[in-house]
Structure formats: structure tokens, C-alpha cells
Amino acid sequence: MTVRGVLWLLLFSGAAIGVSGYSVTTSKANVRAEENTDVDLTCSFSGDFGSNILLRWKFKDRKGSQVFVVHDGKPTAPYADRLNVYGGSNLRFSKVTRKDTGVYTCEITSADKTQVGETEVTLTVLVPPSVPFCKVPSSVTTGSTAILYCIDESASPRPTYKWYKNNVLLPDNPSNVAGFKNATYKLNSTSGELKFPAAAKTDTADYYCESVNDAGPAQKCRAMKMEVRDLNTGGIVAGVIVALLLVALLIFAVWFAKKKGYLPAKKESSSKMNQSYQAAPSGDGGDDADFTQKSSFVV
């Protein structure tokens, strides 16, 4: 290798070291721990940041809300009584709870604030499944959409859901399983939603859901019956006929009452009577003469 080549290699190596010199890492990016146990979250940084760094730890829960756990090297008020910073940038939790499950971001900033680096640690506090909340419609009309819900918010890690029809497990992809190829339901094992886009009578059954994760035994809700019925057109027609008969009966009753005089006649107002009545005109007698002539003519 020529001298020029060696110089280029040294320059390239120096540039590479300069770029990667400001690094922030963790020894364990995914941490799993049982509830009410102590947990360490590690964060280390390269010497290029210097000894006088600015340390921040941020936490984002499963719903996406984000807060500071450590700000400027000190635990924030909600964490001060159960969190310690050791080794300059590491965290030690005392008795984690299910609410601590989420993503923690360690952020290191140089004292002159010219360099910033960060790393993430995912903490999963293990919580076994609990009895899920299930919602099953009791009655559905043939051809209509029916949706069954299953929710377990406390389990950690997030559970998957299984639905059973008359104690038989429903596969996630029915078209791939013999005996379910004609099934039209859609099952989301992540959200726990079981949907029938067009319910049929064959979907009438007892349904229950099961919450599953690797932190403990699965839990299920009680079975509930969903009945799919045809639209009762006969009942609707009968209801309309009865309503029409009632209206006709009411009209006849009003007419009969008027005819028999059971309902009071309308009284004309005194003002209307005064307007219709006019006194005979008085004056020079011209009109009287005219009246006499007309009377004589009639005779």
C-alpha cells in the first residue's frame, strides 16, 4: 500500500471514529419482569460527551402518553420515591407495577448542548390474564351485521384472544381449516373482535372468549347465547294493520259523537255577530221611500 493510500485510510478511520464517537447504548433493550419486583434499565454513553452531561429519561406507555421519568439527572416527582439513578445514567426501579410497562428513552446531551444521543429500552411488566369483558348480542336478524367484543386491559404483555362457538375453538382463518371453509366470520385475535358481516341461522350458538399471554394461565368469560332470527314480516304487517284500525276507530268515534250532539257546537264569537248585524239606516227618508216602493211592488 502506498503512503497516499495509508493517509486516506487513516483519514477515513478518523472520520468514522468521529461520527460514531457520540454514541448512546443499552446492554439490554428488552426487559421483562414480574410485578412488584426491582428492575434495572441500563444506559451508557461514549466519552466524547464528556463527564458533565445532561441526562433525561422519557417514558411512553401503551396508550402513547409520554412523560419525563428523569429530568436533568433527577427523578421527577411521580417517580422520586421508587426510582434511583446510578452509574451516572442507569435506572433502578423499586417494585414495578403494570402501569410501568412501556418504552423508556435514555437521552444524553453534552454540556455545551452540541451533541445529543439516545437509546430505547422496552419494559414489560408481566401480568397474567384476567377474566375478559365480553359482549355478545342476544338476538340478531338474519343477514345483518353482528359484532362480538372481548377485552382484557390489565394483562401484560398484551394478550391475544380466542373465540369459542359451542365450546369449539374458532380458527383465525376459517378458509384454511376443513369444516370452516363456508364460515363467513372475521376474527381479529389482537383486538378481540369477532364479526359476522351477514349473520345466518347457523351462527346461532353459545359464544365465549379467552384471553391468553405468556405471563400466566388463560382466562375466559362466561358463555353467552347469540340467536339469529328471520325478520318477522308477519308481525310487522299485523302491527301496521292494527295501527290503521285504531286510527279508523278514532275517526268514527269523533264523527259519531258530533252526529249525536255529544260534542259542543262551535260558538261564533260576539265580535263576529256584531260585524254581521247592522242597524237600519236613519236619515232623510230617501231609503224609506225606496223601501215603500219595493214593498208595494211586491204586493
Side-chain angles (χ1 to χ4, degrees):
M1 182 179 291
T2 63
V3 175
R4 187 174 182 179
V6 172
L7 290 174
W8 275 109
L9 180 61
L10 291 174
L11 289 173
F12 178 79
S13 300
I17 294 173
V19 171
S20 61
Y22 294 94
S23 61
V24 180
T25 59
T26 180
S27 60
K28 196 171 184 180
N30 291 285
V31 179
R32 291 165 60 91
E34 294 182 359
E35 197 168 22
N36 297 318
T37 60
D38 297 345
V39 176
D40 286 0
L41 306 183
T42 62
C43 176
S44 59
F45 56 94
S46 63
D48 297 273
F49 281 98
S51 58
N52 189 20
I53 61 163
L54 297 176
L55 171 67
R56 292 179 180 178
W57 276 90
K58 293 176 286 187
F59 168 59
K60 182 183 291 185
D61 63 18
R62 296 196 300 185
K63 296 181 179 180
S65 299
Q66 184 168 283
V67 296
F68 278 107
V69 175
V70 174
H71 193 274
D72 291 340
K74 298 179 180 180
T76 57
Y79 294 90
D81 60 342
R82 62 187 189 94
L83 181 68
N84 293 315
V85 178
Y86 72 96
S89 55
N90 301 314
L91 294 186
R92 176 165 294 158
F93 275 96
S94 174
K95 295 183 179 181
V96 290
T97 68
R98 62 192 67 189
K99 293 182 179 180
D100 295 322
T101 294
V103 178
Y104 293 80
T105 302
C106 174
E107 182 183 278
I108 305 295
T109 306
S110 60
D112 58 5
K113 298 183 180 180
T114 59
Q115 297 294 333
V116 180
E118 63 180 33
T119 188
E120 289 186 349
V121 180
T122 300
L123 172 62
T124 303
V125 180
L126 303 177
V127 180
S130 59
V131 176
F133 167 76
C134 299
K135 186 177 181 181
V136 178
S138 59
S139 180
V140 180
T141 304
T142 304
S144 64
T145 300
I147 302 178
L148 286 64
Y149 298 96
C150 183
I151 302 172
D152 179 7
E153 294 185 344
S154 63
S156 178
R158 289 184 182 275
T160 56
Y161 300 98
K162 297 180 180 180
W163 276 98
Y164 291 79
K165 175 184 179 182
N166 290 336
N167 296 319
V168 176
L169 176 64
L170 296 177
D172 292 351
N173 298 308
S175 59
N176 298 332
V177 180
F180 289 90
K181 291 185 178 181
N182 295 327
T184 59
Y185 68 83
K186 296 180 180 179
L187 174 58
N188 188 326
S189 60
T190 302
S191 67
E193 182 180 284
L194 175 61
K195 182 177 181 180
F196 296 88
K201 281 190 173 183
T202 53
D203 297 323
T204 295
D206 291 330
Y207 293 88
Y208 70 85
C209 171
E210 194 173 56
S211 175
V212 182
N213 72 7
D214 60 358
Q219 296 289 337
K220 64 181 180 180
C221 62
R222 66 179 181 86
M224 289 174 278
K225 186 177 184 64
M226 182 179 77
E227 187 172 359
V228 183
R229 303 175 180 175
D230 289 332
L231 184 63
N232 188 5
T233 54
I236 295 176
V237 172
V240 172
I241 293 174
V242 170
L244 292 175
L245 289 175
L246 289 175
V247 172
L249 182 61
L250 179 62
I251 295 174
F252 173 78
V254 173
W255 172 82
F256 184 80
K258 283 185 176 181
K259 184 176 181 181
K260 294 297 183 178
Y262 298 145
L263 295 179
K266 292 183 178 179
K267 295 182 178 180
E268 296 182 348
S269 62
S270 58
S271 60
K272 186 175 180 180
M273 294 177 63
N274 291 335
Q275 290 176 3
S276 61
Y277 172 79
Q278 294 181 355
S282 60
D284 54 5
D287 291 340
D288 291 338
D290 183 62
F291 175 77
T292 303
Q293 293 176 359
K294 289 181 179 180
S295 299
S296 302
F297 178 77
V298 172
V299 175

